[in-house]
Every structure is written in C-alpha cells, then in structure tokens.
Amino acid sequence: MSLVYPLPSQRSGPGAKEINLENCLGKTVLVIGGGGREHAIVDALSRSPQVEKIYCAPGNAGIGEQAFNVPLKDTDVEGLKAFALENGVDLTVVGPEAALAAGIVDTFRAAGLKIFGHTRAATAIESSKEFAKELMEGALIPTAAYRSFSDFEEALSYVLSRPFPAVLKYDGLAAGKGVVIAQDEAEARAALADMLLDHTFGEGRVVVEDFLTGPEFSFLCFVDGERVYPMPLSQDHKRAFDGDKGPNTGGMGAYTGLPFITEEDRAFAYKEIMCKAASAMCAKGLPLSGVLYGGLMKTPQGIKVIEFNARFGDPETEVVLPLLQSDIYEVFEGVATGTPVAEPVWADGVTLGVVLASKGYPGRYEKGYDIAGLELVDAKVYHMGTAVRDGKVFTNGGRVLMVVSGGTDLADARRKVYEEIGKIACDNLFYRKDIAHIAFE
Ligand code: AMP
Ligand code: GLY
C-alpha cells in the first residue's frame, strides 16, 4: 500500500500551530506508536520551530489533531520503511519496544533513513532480563543479587536457599506478566513450573533475584553512545486503585518533583547507574541511540536498579516532556545521527497526570463510550486509547486519556488536574484520586 499525504501547508486541526515560514526548516517526522506516550512525543515535536509535518503510525484520535495518523502497525517494519521513503520523512522516532525488538532501527538505517531508537541487539537491555543483569554485574551497577536458570529443580533449590519473598522474572518480553513475587515455597513452585516446565511465555530462562524494598521511580535519559542527557525524574502508579491497591496496570498516573529523592540521590543515579549502563553498552559494541529508562528503587541500602527499559515510559513521558523547553527535534536528530547536542533545558515547577481508564481495566472492559467535554479542559489531555467517529471521540482501549497539569508544587498541580478532570463526561471511566500521595502523607 502506498500512502502519500497532503502537502505540509495542509497540516490542520485544533492542535496544529501557526508555522513561521521564516525560520521553519520544514522537517517531516514520523512517530511510531499510538498511545499517550506517542501523543506526548507528537505534542513536544509540534512545539519545534523546525518541524513542519508530523505523521504518526498508527496514532489515535487525539494525536490526529496534531499529526496525520497513518494506518500502519508499529511492527510493520517494511510498510513503515516504504512509507518513510515515499513521504520524504526526515526523521523517525520510535515509541514502543515491540517496534525496536522487531528491528525497525536496523532496517531504517540500512535504507539510509534517520531514526531515533536502539538497534534490535541493543534493545536486549530491556528484552532480556539476564542480559541486563549481566551488564549490571559487569559494570558494578547496584541491583538485587540474582542467578538465572533454565532447570526447574536448580531454580527451586536456589529459591529455597534465599529468604522469601523471592522475585522470579521470565527472561524475555512477557507483556509485563513475566514477574512473580513469590511469598512462599508453594507460590515459587507454581510460578517456576509455569515458566520452566509449561513454558507459558516460551522457551526462556528465569532470573531469580532478591526482593528489595523502598519507593520506585523512573529515570529517563536520552542516550547517544557515551552521552547521557537526563530528563526530570518521575514516579508511576502501577496499581489500579487508590492506596496502591488492586491489580497491576500499565500505569494509572505519574508526576515529577519527587519529594523522596535528594539531589545526591539523583547525581548518584545519573553517574553510577545511567552513565555506567551507557558506557557498558558501548563496551559491548552495542551503543544506545534512544531513550534509556531506569526503573529504580530507593532502598535502605541506596538506589538500585529494578529494570531497564529501552524506550520512553508510559505514563511517565506524558508528565516529563511537557517540561522540556529545548527543541526536541534537535535532541532526537542529534541522538539519531550521533552528534552532540546542547544539554536539554527543563522548566522549573512540577507536573502531575492522572489516567482515566475504562471500568474493568486491567481486566475485561467495554469500548465505544462517548467522551464529552474535552474542549472545556484547561490542561494537557493526552489520548491513550480513543477513536473518533463523525467528529465524536469515544473510548477505544483500557487506558483512555491522561490529563496532565503543571504547577508550582504538587498540591497546585494536583488541584488543577482533578478540577479539569471534572469537566470530562463519560459513562465508563474511572481514575485514581490519590496520584502523588507519597507527597501528601
Ligand atoms: P520489572 O518487570 O522487572 O519492572 O518488575 C515489575 C515490578 O515488580 C517492578 O515494578 C517492581 O514493583 C517489582 N519488582 C521487580 N523486581 C523486584 C525486586 N527485586 N524487589 C522488589 N520488587 C521487585
Ligand atoms: N510506566 C511503566 C513503563 O513504561 O514500562
């Protein structure tokens, strides 16, 4: 299929900015993905004076107001390559790990296309728990003690030699379901049997690691080989309900301005974790060229790594990127081409965002409910799972919208967000009322 879109001057929609032709360098960007994270990336790109036209594949209803949605799947690497070549795309920015793991960066580079994201091999820092653990061990990056196994009996006897709870991680992309915290022998046996005898997720190995305690937080950095440009720290809320109760989700809200992290903590995490990981990847011949996401924990023994991801976090991106004052196109292009860029500048103040999800999420839920009042909201509204029919927006996923506001402090940002959410009318949404609760305890 060949998809050729209207000329740049035809970019339209409520979110499209006036283009200043004098300093507009007319860049065309393709963003891969279609969730809230990609909406925040598109929103940041639309603030760049260099960017004239944005495509997003597949995009969503909200993204469609700021970019041209392209009906191609994020893992349709050949289709996306053909689209980029046919439509004069200057730079592609990859959101989801599935596209990275499908080798989109390798394929685009081989075709001479500029792309922001890691190669398939470097994506192992996220897709293989064992690779990430070995990398950390080799570079002396603080993380939980571990061993990895393919044999059920050996894994079980190691688990029994350590204190409970035990953390069991399937070694591969398992859509967030590959981690089990086993409280006792029976739970450990069942989980290990699932992973190593029944191969529920595939023929992988299992990493067994010690259980750590403390608040978790996310450290996203733009990484170009040895160059590591930090973004503001953020914290996700993974459980479905208030008080961090209920099942794990993709994330129900996030904020920046973490009250429990000191400047020393941040400096330590930057130098001893993020920079060391970037260097270790270079030493392995797998330099990073996208976002490195440190899922970190502040334990009583200091800051340690829970996991690395090879991409922007969702919903973290939606609270982090609104603070960026520099031109994000310059950062993406610099990283994509291995060229140093000026240290990105971030606004003072904090941001806080709340996810509105379909009732029943993360379990079974219905789609297709009308959403009204979005035009009244005086905050950023990033669409996560929406679609549009006859000009009307309706729910089309588990996580549907994220409302994000800035403020001088968290109390200010939180008050504004919940006030604005009150203007959105939909019969089938729920949301947490306690985002950033740790700041108010
Ligand atoms: P992961 O996919 O590795 O991020 O693990 C998913 C979640 O499990 C994390 O966000 C933590 O809440 C929890 N978790 C993972 N590893 C540990 C650990 N070593 N100690 C305590 N909790 C953990
Ligand atoms: N917020 C969790 C993630 O993006 O993996």
Side-chain angles (χ1 to χ4, degrees):
M1 176 174 46
S2 161
L3 294 160
V4 179
Y5 275 74
L7 291 170
S9 58
Q10 290 173 269
R11 187 168 106 178
S12 64
K17 65 177 178 196
E18 286 293 312
I19 294 168
N20 177 350
L21 288 172
E22 256 167 51
N23 50 25
C24 180
L25 300 175
K27 299 293 187 197
T28 296
V29 186
L30 169 63
V31 176
I32 310 292
R37 164 180 58 199
E38 289 76 21
H39 195 175
I41 293 170
V42 165
D43 184 43
L45 278 164
S46 74
R47 298 196 296 272
S48 163
Q50 305 190 50
V51 174
E52 190 170 345
K53 191 173 187 185
I54 308 171
Y55 294 116
C56 189
N60 64 34
I63 291 173
E65 295 184 358
Q66 290 177 280
F68 294 103
N69 288 334
V70 179
L72 289 173
K73 270 182 65 177
D74 59 15
T75 50
D76 178 3
V77 173
E78 287 303 321
L80 291 164
K81 180 180 87 176
F83 177 85
L85 289 169
E86 282 167 27
N87 289 276
V89 169
D90 295 294
L91 175 70
T92 299
V93 178
V94 186
E97 68 274 27
L100 299 170
I104 192 168
V105 171
D106 311 68
T107 301
F108 271 49
R109 284 192 188 156
L113 290 163
K114 257 189 255 171
I115 185 161
F116 174 91
H118 311 298
T119 60
R120 189 209 305 254
T123 303
I125 197 164
E126 169 167 0
S127 57
S128 166
K129 303 273 185 201
E130 191 173 17
F131 175 93
K133 284 304 240 185
E134 277 173 7
L135 184 90
M136 288 187 259
E137 194 171 49
L140 303 178
I141 294 171
T143 187
Y146 82 104
R147 287 211 15 220
S148 81
F149 301 92
S150 54
D151 181 78
F152 172 81
E153 291 299 337
E154 283 176 23
L156 186 64
S157 77
Y158 177 73
V159 167
L160 296 178
S161 74
R162 313 284 301 176
F164 278 101
V167 182
L168 314 174
K169 299 186 175 183
Y170 173 76
D171 186 35
L173 289 174
K177 299 192 183 79
V179 176
V180 173
I181 316 269
Q183 301 295 337
D184 53 33
E185 181 176 343
E187 283 184 23
R189 246 179 212 285
L192 288 173
D194 209 26
M195 294 176 187
L196 292 175
L197 298 178
D198 301 338
H199 303 293
T200 306
F201 305 109
E203 292 284 326
R205 294 167 68 81
V206 169
V207 167
V208 179
E209 65 179 41
D210 288 355
F211 180 78
L212 304 177
T213 54
E216 287 181 58
F217 61 102
S218 306
F219 197 173
L220 277 57
C221 295
F222 298 104
V223 182
D224 167 20
E226 299 271 359
R227 287 185 281 272
V228 181
Y229 308 102
M231 301 185 222
L233 301 177
S234 55
Q235 189 181 40
D236 183 9
H237 293 56
K238 292 203 168 104
R239 301 298 196 97
F241 308 128
D242 285 3
D244 294 324
K245 303 240 163 55
N248 260 318
T249 69
M252 295 298 292
Y255 67 98
T256 63
L258 310 187
F260 57 91
I261 296 291
T262 64
E263 189 42 44
E264 291 76 56
D265 291 334
R266 207 196 75 92
F268 176 87
Y270 175 72
K271 193 159 161 264
E272 300 299 326
I273 295 175
M274 306 308 288
C275 291
K276 277 191 174 172
S279 286
M281 289 298 282
C282 289
K284 280 191 180 289
L286 301 171
L288 295 171
S289 54
V291 170
L292 178 63
Y293 163 142
L296 312 181
M297 188 184 268
K298 181 167 174 168
T299 77
Q301 290 77 40
I303 294 179
K304 298 195 180 185
V305 178
I306 294 290
E307 65 166 346
F308 282 121
N309 291 321
R311 52 171 172 83
F312 280 107
D314 193 353
E316 290 94 331
T317 306
E318 292 93 310
V319 292
V320 167
L321 289 187
L323 291 169
L324 180 61
Q325 291 185 319
S326 310
D327 178 351
I328 201 165
Y329 183 85
E330 233 159 64
V331 181
F332 283 150
E333 191 188 39
V335 172
T337 56
T339 316
V341 295
E343 193 64 39
V345 177
W346 302 91
D348 292 333
V350 302
T351 48
L352 188 147
V354 176
V355 171
L356 282 67
S358 295
K359 285 179 187 164
Y361 172 80
R364 285 171 62 89
Y365 58 84
E366 292 173 6
K367 298 181 187 179
Y369 286 81
D370 284 341
I371 306 169
L374 291 176
E375 69 288 352
L376 306 173
V377 177
D378 183 18
K380 285 196 181 287
V381 180
Y382 292 124
H383 290 229
M384 305 181 99
T386 60
V388 68
R389 192 194 308 121
D390 302 330
K392 279 191 167 173
V393 177
F394 60 91
T395 65
N396 195 40
R399 291 189 297 169
V400 175
L401 297 167
M402 182 162 179
V403 180
V404 179
S405 194
T408 47
D409 59 26
L410 286 170
D412 183 34
R414 178 146 110 153
R415 183 185 47 74
K416 283 191 210 155
V417 165
Y418 286 111
E419 224 170 80
E420 296 305 318
I421 287 177
K423 298 177 182 169
I424 299 175
C426 178
D427 286 342
N428 198 46
L429 294 177
F430 79 100
Y431 57 90
R432 279 182 61 163
K433 314 278 189 305
D434 68 341
I435 299 305
H437 60 83
I438 207 170
F440 302 95
E441 279 158 3

